[in-house]
């Protein structure tokens, strides 16, 4: 999957959750959280960039020890600072990282278990990656408009810049 899909999938899930469960959250804090979650969704590729499927199989950031350590670090951080707005972001960061790894499993596979064999297959072919990018981008924009309306803001961010 492309970086756009890796970053926007967890953000769209967080936005959809916030529509129902986070009415008191400040808009700026929501946006900061989405940025942090989006970065967490691309973190495996940031930590160990790879351009080919073969180099993805050799990527340490796509293995169970690293994924487990990062998820555990996020959960410990959540326990330590869960009463703050940013503390509640940590479980979403862990989920974003896990969704990236899962996305790579279904789009070519990874050597997640360090066995020398790929876990996964081409269930999502590269031809579908731009379609997923467009789907997640559209969902992000539509949900974002609804969240801006909930905060009493103009639903179009573009209009803010044109004024």
């Amino acid at each position: 999957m492309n970086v756009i899909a890796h970053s926007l999938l967890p953000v769209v899930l967080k936005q959809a959750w916030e529509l129902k469960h986070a009415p008191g959250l400040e808009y700026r804090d929501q946006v900061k959280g989405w940025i942090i979650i989006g970065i967490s969704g691309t973190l495996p590729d940031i930590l160990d960039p790879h351009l080919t499927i073969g180099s993805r199989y050799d990527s340490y950031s796509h293995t169970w020890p690293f994924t487990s350590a990062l998820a555990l670090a996020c959960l410990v951080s959540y326990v330590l600072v869960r009463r703050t707005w940013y503390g509640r972001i940590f479980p979403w960061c862990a989920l974003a990282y896990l969704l990236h790894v899962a996305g790579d499993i279904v789009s070519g596979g990874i050597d997640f278990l360090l066995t020398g064999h790929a876990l996964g297959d081409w269930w999502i072919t590269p031809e579908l990656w731009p379609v997923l990018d467009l789907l997640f981008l559209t969902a992000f924009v539509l949900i974002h408009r609804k969240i801006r309306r909930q905060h009493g803001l103009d639903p179009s961010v573009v209009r803010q810049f044109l004024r």
Side-chain angles (χ1 to χ4, degrees), residues 130-149:
V131 175
L132 288 175
D133 291 344
L134 185 60
L135 176 74
F136 294 135
L137 185 61
T138 303
F140 172 81
V141 168
L142 293 176
I143 295 173
H144 184 223
R145 288 175 59 88
K146 190 166 186 164
I147 288 173
R148 285 184 61 84
R149 270 194 214 104

Side-chain angles (χ1 to χ4, degrees), residues 24-98:
L25 197 59
E26 292 291 325
Y27 175 72
R28 288 181 189 261
D29 292 340
Q30 283 179 295
V31 172
K32 289 177 202 172
W34 300 338
I35 292 169
I36 294 167
I37 292 166
I39 292 169
S40 297
T42 60
L43 197 57
D45 291 342
I46 293 170
L47 293 173
D48 190 10
H50 48 272
L51 296 176
T52 65
I53 191 73
S55 61
R56 185 168 79 184
Y57 292 152
D58 294 331
S59 174
Y60 69 87
S61 63
H62 289 71
T63 61
W64 75 266
F66 196 87
T67 302
S68 301
L70 189 121
L72 182 63
C74 285
L75 295 178
V76 167
S77 299
Y78 167 72
V79 169
L80 295 175
V81 293
R82 69 179 167 263
R83 299 201 194 293
T84 62
W85 74 265
Y86 59 87
R88 290 181 228 124
I89 299 296
F90 285 114
W92 288 95
C93 291
L95 177 65
Y97 198 95
L98 293 171

